[in-house]
Amino acid sequence: LAPGAVLLHGFAQAEAAALLQAMEQLIAQAPLRHMQTPGGYTMSVATTSCGPLGWVSDPHGYRYAAHDPHTGQPWPAMPDCLLRFAIYAATEAGYPDFVPDSCMVNQYLPGNKLGLHQDRDERDLRAPVVSLSLGLPATFLFGGLQRTGPTQRYRLAHGDVVVWGGPSRLAFHGVLPVADGDHALVGRRRVNLTFRKVG
Ligand code: MD6
Ligand code: FE
């Protein structure tokens, strides 16, 4: 995609059913919810997390926290198959030392979108982000280091993985509204899992 950023088409195809099952167990313990943004909006995308640190947004800002504010409990442990998958994908993309301590789940129903943003709440910006797409396809916008710069469009389909770091780590990116459809394995939704090294 860009220096430091790789799209691995279909990389998760074979494992998708097992990864999805692990995700379903996770959301049974830490339900998907619509976070509030610091700007006063409610996100259309529903999120949850697993691993030692989970991403939280509320009117006070964005941050990573050890506890789920919804349940008051620590976030569920990162399932082994998800952890191993993220390490494998990062290694394949040229980041052999990646060990994530956070996995965020984003669920998009048809029409849901994610505005252009940077991922900059992680302390260690040398580590890449590994992103796994499951279910309905989406159009991913990938820009530069300025919000107003040009963006490229990529189609992310079931089983696709994006790994990015290095010079692209702070690139602006977003997701256009997801078109309606019904995926044989995942149903009427797109699920994106992002793995990070936060601490
Ligand atoms: C998504 N992904 O694909 C949203 N962020 O649904 C992200 O926001 C993202 O895919 C950082 C790194 C990879 C990503
Ligand atoms: Fe992001």
Side-chain angles (χ1 to χ4, degrees):
L1 304 186
V6 190
L7 170 50
L8 304 168
H9 271 298
F11 188 75
Q13 275 293 351
E15 278 183 83
L19 298 171
L20 197 64
Q21 195 184 355
M23 186 216 64
E24 294 291 1
Q25 283 172 17
L26 158 65
I27 63 180
Q29 297 170 68
L32 290 163
R33 80 294 304 264
H34 299 274
M35 300 266 188
Q36 304 287 123
T37 71
Y41 292 95
T42 301
M43 293 177 66
S44 69
V45 174
T47 66
T48 189
S49 288
C50 62
L53 291 166
W55 186 79
V56 174
S57 176
D58 64 22
H60 302 290
Y62 308 120
R63 64 193 171 277
Y64 285 92
H67 288 76
D68 176 352
H70 183 81
T71 63
Q73 297 293 118
W75 296 101
M78 200 182 305
D80 220 47
C81 69
L82 292 180
L83 177 62
R84 279 186 283 111
F85 174 81
I87 292 172
Y88 177 41
T91 303
E92 196 71 13
Y95 297 97
D97 301 322
F98 180 64
V99 182
D101 57 10
S102 179
C103 168
M104 173 166 44
V105 180
N106 287 157
Q107 174 179 272
Y108 299 72
L109 301 182
N112 292 172
K113 62 183 163 71
L114 189 63
L116 271 187
H117 67 277
Q118 289 173 301
D119 285 40
R120 54 186 307 163
D121 302 323
E122 302 78 23
R123 186 140 39 112
D124 183 1
L125 292 175
R126 289 165 309 178
V129 179
V130 173
S131 160
L132 162 65
S133 291
L134 297 169
L136 295 178
T139 301
F140 189 66
L141 297 176
F142 191 79
L145 298 178
Q146 242 89 55
R147 183 184 292 279
T148 52
T151 54
Q152 312 227 54
R153 292 175 176 214
Y154 298 94
R155 183 174 187 271
L156 294 184
H158 179 74
D160 288 351
V161 173
V162 181
V163 181
W164 82 62
S168 295
R169 182 62 177 75
L170 291 175
F172 277 90
H173 57 281
V175 180
L176 293 183
V178 171
D180 200 2
D182 195 0
H183 187 275
L185 194 63
V186 185
R188 210 174 158 196
R189 58 184 175 150
R190 169 176 187 261
V191 180
N192 180 259
L193 284 77
T194 49
F195 299 88
R196 301 140 204 275
K197 168 98 179 73
V198 174

